[in-house]
Amino acid sequence: VAADSLPEAIGVRTSSSSDGVDVLFERGASLPGRAVRHYSRKDVGDSDLNLALVQRTRGGAWRPCFSLLEVLTVLNDDGEPVPCESANVCFCLNADGRLSASVE
């Protein structure tokens, strides 16, 4: 299935970087699609990480569609936040063009 109904592109922007957008999916890609990114606390200045999922419009502008907050924090058995060293984030685009993200 071609992703003709998708925006021009879907990408992710991190809170720790001003390098721009990491493009995950582009218009015309086969669906369903999956992209995995690895994030490390060491690589982001020993702090937590927020991700903004963005869509590129036909005019070339990036607009936010949703965010993942505190990617490098987990909850312990008592429900208290605990920093973790790294995480994989799986971005999935289903056959209908719906985007989801999960932290592994």
Side-chain angles (χ1 to χ4, degrees), residues 6-28:
L6 291 176
E8 292 297 309
I10 297 173
V12 62
R13 183 178 285 150
T14 67
S15 60
S16 67
S17 173
S18 59
D19 293 341
V21 174
D22 176 12
V23 176
L24 303 169
F25 307 101
E26 294 192 71
R27 178 177 267 212

Side-chain angles (χ1 to χ4, degrees), residues 47-99:
S47 63
D48 211 331
L49 181 70
N50 297 327
L51 302 177
L53 279 290
V54 293
Q55 298 177 353
R56 187 172 60 212
T57 64
R58 290 185 185 190
W62 289 100
R63 63 183 176 98
C65 54
F66 71 87
S67 298
L68 291 172
L69 304 177
E70 299 179 345
V71 171
L72 297 173
T73 298
V74 296
L75 298 178
N76 67 15
D77 292 338
D78 296 326
E80 298 293 323
V82 177
C84 61
E85 292 303 313
S86 64
N88 289 323
V89 180
C90 179
F91 304 95
C92 295
L93 198 58
N94 74 10
D96 296 328
R98 290 191 188 127
L99 178 65

